[in-house]
Amino acid sequence: MSEYSQPLHPIEKKILKTLSSLEEVEIQELAKLSILSIDQVRRGVEWLKAKDLITVKENENEFYSLGEEGQRIIKTGLPERRLVNAVKKSGSSEEITKVSRELESEFAAALGIAKKNRWVRVDRNRLYLEKEHENREPEEDLLEKIAGLGRISRADIPPEELQTISSLTKRREGLIKETKEKTFRLALTQKGRSISSDAVADEIDEITPEILITGGWESRPLRAIDVTSPSPAVHAGRRHPMREFMDEVRETFLSLGFEEIYGPLSQTALWNFDALFIPQQHPAREMQDTFYLSKLKARLDDYADEIRAIRSAHEQGAGTGSRGWRYEWSVEEASRVVLRTHTTAITISYLAEKKPDEARVFSVGRVFRNEKSNYKHNPEFYQIEGVTVGEKVNVRNLLYLMTKFYSKLGFNEIKFWPTFFPYTEPSLQTMAYLEKSGRWMELGGMGVFRPEVTLPLGVKNPVLAWGLSLDRLVMLRYEINDIRQLFGANIGWLRKLKLM
Ligand code: PHE
């Protein structure tokens, strides 16, 4: 059913099949030809009409059949024929009076017609047979035809015979009976014709025990029902594996007594860089690393105190025990707006606002870096971020927490390596071992925030901080080699993926 996708009922198919070999057909006739009951045909015709596959022309039609007189005449012949037969019986000539007695009142008319037809010739009261009597009259043929068919529709009578009908009707009452009837003639529409060829195929419409036992389905096309075809797949809606995993991460932190914090995707440089003691000349701030929303400038009026303290930390390390970065800090630079390059911006603005002595918070979110996309880098990815603030917390607690977190998610083979971040001391990174490639894969960074970070914001206690890659964990779990797989819309892969 190329063009027409709606499935057809077996009755509809039978009707289409029958109609495909006919120009037009009357509904009764269709029932006979398609071996359906008249009721089935009527129902099917309604459906097909609604689908614009067939049209039904209703018109009134006249039918001709033999009247009582006609029935009699078909046995005896028309009077002129009887006259000829009588003449034939008595040799080639006959006394007119003898024949006239036989034909009674019909004689005069019969003689007139027989003479006109040149069947007989009259000579001094005698009738002579002419050779032309062997020609048949159109009237005779038509009567026989009607007798044979029982009745004949005016629509089916050729024009030359219509003439004959009317002369027979006029000739004598009861010869021809005329009746009027409504008829419904069916024909395929353009659309119906285009799909009927499919319907004509000898399809199996329903599977019966016979078909299965005899294997009839092997030799006949199984368009409607293909018992050998696989059943259609049903795909229930599901969440993206990234989303699933994010929720698992959330639950893991919640189960460890953490609270989730949130923040916007765009951030001022103040929170994304400056509050983290990242010097304003640091390469990470360059355009080729960071997406700037260059038309925007933030108003930092509300943070006058923090700004004073941050400037002082950058310029001379005031009150932190270090000498700072030794340059002139610019508030202009701090008011630029970026797409956050790490979720640490959320952590730090939380610390600035709450100045907690104790805290356990985490966040999960998207971050952006101006990097070329390849199998292990994507300009946008997700981070799992958090801090523990407390009077007595230390690096050991951080390592324990991280190990616990990873093992809860099913990653047992991880280790820690020293590294550098401008905002932590000490600084560490987590690595996971990849059996397959025999390599260590970096999962994220962590450390204890430097006093240059915490003191300007009024946080007195040590802060353990981490920022981990979510995407790499998903890649490990689902054995994905290309990070871009997670950001595409590869439905086939998503459907097949088993949740773990
Ligand atoms: N922000 C760092 C990154 O994006 C990770 C980190 C967070 C490191 C917190 C130390 C402390 O890689």
Side-chain angles (χ1 to χ4, degrees), residues 88 285 443:
K88 247 198 329 212
R285 295 202 185 209
L443 292 179

Side-chain angles (χ1 to χ4, degrees), residues 382-384 402 405-406 430 443-446 466-470:
Y382 287 88
Q383 283 191 324
I384 306 161
M402 287 295 106
F405 167 74
Y406 280 110
T430 352
L443 292 179
M446 65 199 65
W466 60 88
L468 315 167
S469 160
L470 180 114

